Amino acid sequence: MTLPPGQRLIDGFPRFGANLSRPAPPVPIKSVINIRGAAVTDAFDVPLASLATLPRRELTADFHCVAGWSATHLRWEGVPFKTVYRTLIEPALRPGISVTHVVCRGLDGWRSVLSIEDALADDVLIADRLDGRPLSGDHGAPARLVSPRQYGYVSTKHLCRIEVHTAEPKGIHKSVLRLLGPHPRARVWEEERHRYLPAWLLRRPYRATIAFVITWGRRRDVRSRPQPR
Ligand SMILES: Nc1nc2c(c(=O)[nH]1)N[C@H]1C(S)=C(S)[C@@H](COP(=O)(O)O)O[C@H]1N2
Ligand SMILES: [Mo]
C-alpha cells in the first residue's frame, strides 16, 4: 500500500488534536451548525437533525495527520459538504458576491480554513458515522468535516459553525507560531504541510510526536477501533 510522502502507517485511529488533555466537548441536546460570514446576509442555524433529509454518502478513505501518521480504511458516513452548500448555504448568499473560502469551527474552538474549491471537492463530507457507528466524542461527535485529500487539521471535529467568506481570512497564529500555520491547500499528496516551513524540516520533530501519540493512545485506551491481529 502506498502512503503519501512522509507519512507512516499506525495501528488504529488515535484521538488527536489540540485539546487532548481535555475530554471531548459535550454534545448539545439540539445540535446545530451555525452559518454566517461576510457572504451571507443573516446568520442562521442548520439543525443537525435536518441533515438527515439530505442524500447521504458512504466514503472509505485514509486519514493523514500533518504530524506524519496515517490511519487507513476509515469508513465514514454523512452528507457531502457540496450538497449542504448547494441546498442550504448557497440560497442564503448575498446576491452577486463570490465566495472564496469557508471556515469550519468546532465546539472546542478549533478552526480550519478551506478554499471554496477544496471544500466543494466530491469527497468532502460532513460525517456523523464512522465504521458503522455514530461518531464518538474522540472522533468528533456529533458531526465533523472529513476532507481525506487534505491534512487532518482541515477536518474539524465537533463542527458547530461554517463561515462563508469573500476573501481569505487572516491567520490566527501570531509571531513564530505562524511558521507552523496550516498550508492554504494542505494537500497530502503534494506534501503541503505548512504555509511557510518546508515539510522536510519538521519530519524529525514530528516523528517524536507520533511516538508520543501512539503511547498516549495506548495508555488512555482512546482507540475506538478494534485492532486487527
Ligand atoms: N474540533 C477539533 N477538530 C480537529 C482537531 C481538534 O483538536 N479539534 N484536531 C485536528 C487534527 S490536527 C487532526 S490530525 C484530526 C484528528 O482527528 P481524530 O482525533 O479523529 O483522529 O482532527 C483535526 N480536527
Ligand atoms: Mo493533525
Side-chain angles (χ1 to χ4, degrees):
M1 184 196 50
T2 322
L3 288 177
Q7 294 299 112
R8 277 196 187 173
L9 183 65
I10 56 166
D11 258 353
F13 185 35
R15 176 185 180 212
F16 203 66
N19 298 300
L20 287 186
S21 59
R22 267 167 273 162
V27 174
I29 298 172
K30 285 200 174 130
S31 289
V32 299
I33 302 177
N34 181 252
I35 315 288
R36 60 169 62 220
V40 297
T41 328
D42 293 305
F44 62 100
D45 285 342
V46 173
L48 269 193
S50 75
L51 293 188
T53 61
L54 297 176
R56 294 174 65 81
R57 161 143 194 227
E58 195 180 299
L59 175 83
T60 299
D62 300 343
F63 190 93
H64 312 286
C65 172
V66 73
W69 57 263
S70 293
T72 50
H73 256 86
L74 305 176
R75 188 162 55 85
W76 303 102
E77 290 166 63
V79 179
F81 182 89
K82 195 192 226 166
T83 307
V84 174
Y85 188 81
R86 296 272 184 248
T87 52
L88 301 171
I89 300 182
E90 224 163 38
L93 294 180
R94 290 178 195 280
I97 57 102
S98 91
V99 172
T100 60
H101 293 82
V102 296
V103 174
C104 294
R105 278 184 196 269
L107 291 166
D108 59 351
W110 188 264
R111 170 186 192 271
S112 66
V113 182
L114 294 86
S115 74
I116 190 66
E117 291 79 16
D118 287 339
L120 295 178
D122 279 340
D123 55 357
V124 178
L125 284 192
I126 296 180
D128 54 10
R129 294 174 70 82
L130 169 61
D131 292 335
R133 288 187 294 271
L135 216 53
S136 66
D138 283 346
H139 292 302
R144 77 179 295 169
L145 193 77
V146 178
S147 178
R149 283 180 290 158
Q150 296 183 285
Y151 285 111
Y153 57 69
V154 172
S155 294
T156 291
K157 301 191 280 187
H158 323 292
L159 182 64
C160 65
R161 184 189 290 178
I162 298 170
E163 295 169 12
V164 197
H165 290 280
T166 52
E168 186 181 10
K170 291 235 161 55
I172 33 169
H173 297 301
K174 298 248 155 47
S175 69
V176 73
L177 272 182
R178 270 189 81 86
L179 288 175
L180 283 176
H183 190 283
R185 303 290 313 276
R187 291 172 297 179
V188 294
W189 287 96
E190 274 71 17
E191 207 174 357
E192 294 167 336
R193 291 181 198 270
H194 299 283
R195 188 189 290 254
Y196 301 110
L197 285 188
W200 60 264
L201 201 63
L202 287 161
R203 282 204 185 153
R204 262 161 179 279
Y206 276 161
R207 284 276 131 79
T209 318
I210 308 172
F212 171 78
V213 169
I214 292 170
T215 336
W216 172 272
R218 285 212 183 96
R219 260 213 340 262
R220 297 204 348 163
D221 196 28
V222 294
R223 295 166 180 222
S224 56
R225 304 178 79 206
Q227 301 296 301
R229 265 171 291 141

